[in-house]
Amino acid sequence: MNISKKLIQTAVSAALAASILLPSALALYPAKVKADALYLRKSPGGEIITTLKQGTTVAVIKNSDSWFKVAVGGKEGYVSGEFLAGTSNGDFLLGSGRVVCDTTVNLREQPNMSAKVLTSMPNGATVSALGVYSGWYKVSYNGKTGYMHPDYLTFGAASAASIPNKAVSSNAAVVSYIGDNAQRGEVLAFAAQYLGTPYVYGGSTPSGFDCSGFTSYVFSNTVGTIPRVAQSQFDATNRVSMDELLPGDLVFFGSSASSISHVGIYVGDNQFIHSPHTGDVVKYDTLTGTYSSRFQGGGRVITD
């Protein structure tokens, strides 16, 4: 074989290898930010949503031109593709996402269409996205962790229309957790599914919750079982101050530490999610006013 033929074969082999290594323009894959700071924008070259630090892992949804569509921190947006470097499949917290489908979509045991179905997720369901494997999202839903096809998951604040079969509270936008502890994100995503669920005294199911019925239901379906009653939850958990609160910690209220009358789940940024009282629904509130004055401490179940 002459030199020219060898060169042609080498070039073809290199091209084939490159085509195998480069993801399809429509394939979901993880990538890391390789710039000191990278803007996440609402549209290609458009308004800035936030700044991503070097080393941040994102899920690349589409890479058909110089602006890549990505998901990160519970949001979707666009970044300049030249500042991303593809990385291996794995776990990394993407935040809360919302199922978008005609009826239901399957959560599967493995990232392929032939894998066992663990459960079905309805349109509008909130999931916690935990990573990317073989072009599928790894997610947690209703206490089950599996894989879902990327065509049926979107990121961003849920609208009122996306919360099915529930009365909608005025602040029903989903709060997502951006951090390293997947369990904290799972608690927040699971709790957010029940925004708008009515308060029912003694209730501890999705048909209606009282305050501790809500917190015990969320934890029993994510991290593990905690006592049913607010005072018992307070007594059984590790104390943290308001300044030490992390997303996924419990927040307790009452006239004293021995008279706890209310409990919720801290979500970050001085907010918590709870089932307040008769006539109200599961919603987000802030640790201000009466809630601040009656705050008796945080309760930590999840240890980092």
Side-chain angles (χ1 to χ4, degrees), residues 91-238:
D91 286 359
F92 60 99
L93 197 62
L94 277 159
S96 297
R98 179 167 55 90
V99 174
V100 179
C101 60
D102 291 333
T103 53
T104 62
V105 63
N106 291 327
L107 180 69
R108 295 184 180 272
E109 193 171 56
Q110 297 296 329
N112 60 72
M113 294 298 290
S114 60
K116 177 184 176 182
V117 175
L118 300 176
T119 188
S120 294
M121 301 172 290
N123 179 49
T126 300
V127 304
S128 181
L130 307 174
V132 171
Y133 289 83
S134 302
W136 289 52
Y137 286 115
K138 180 181 179 181
V139 305
S140 174
Y141 171 75
N142 269 2
K144 297 181 184 295
T145 299
Y147 301 86
M148 68 176 293
H149 196 279
D151 287 354
Y152 304 104
L153 187 63
T154 187
F155 294 86
S159 65
S162 73
I163 304 172
N165 303 320
K166 296 185 177 118
V168 180
S169 61
S170 60
N171 62 346
V174 174
V175 172
S176 61
Y177 167 66
I178 303 175
D180 296 327
N181 193 309
Q183 283 190 318
R184 294 189 182 279
E186 187 178 359
V187 167
L188 266 58
F190 189 86
Q193 295 178 85
Y194 302 102
L195 286 164
T197 300
Y199 178 96
V200 173
Y201 180 77
S204 58
T205 71
S207 61
F209 296 106
D210 63 17
C211 67
S212 57
F214 176 61
T215 54
S216 61
Y217 184 82
V218 170
F219 274 84
S220 67
N221 282 280
T222 53
V223 178
T225 302
I226 61 173
R228 169 62 178 84
V229 180
Q231 182 69 59
S232 298
Q233 291 177 10
F234 180 88
D235 295 339
T237 52
N238 297 317

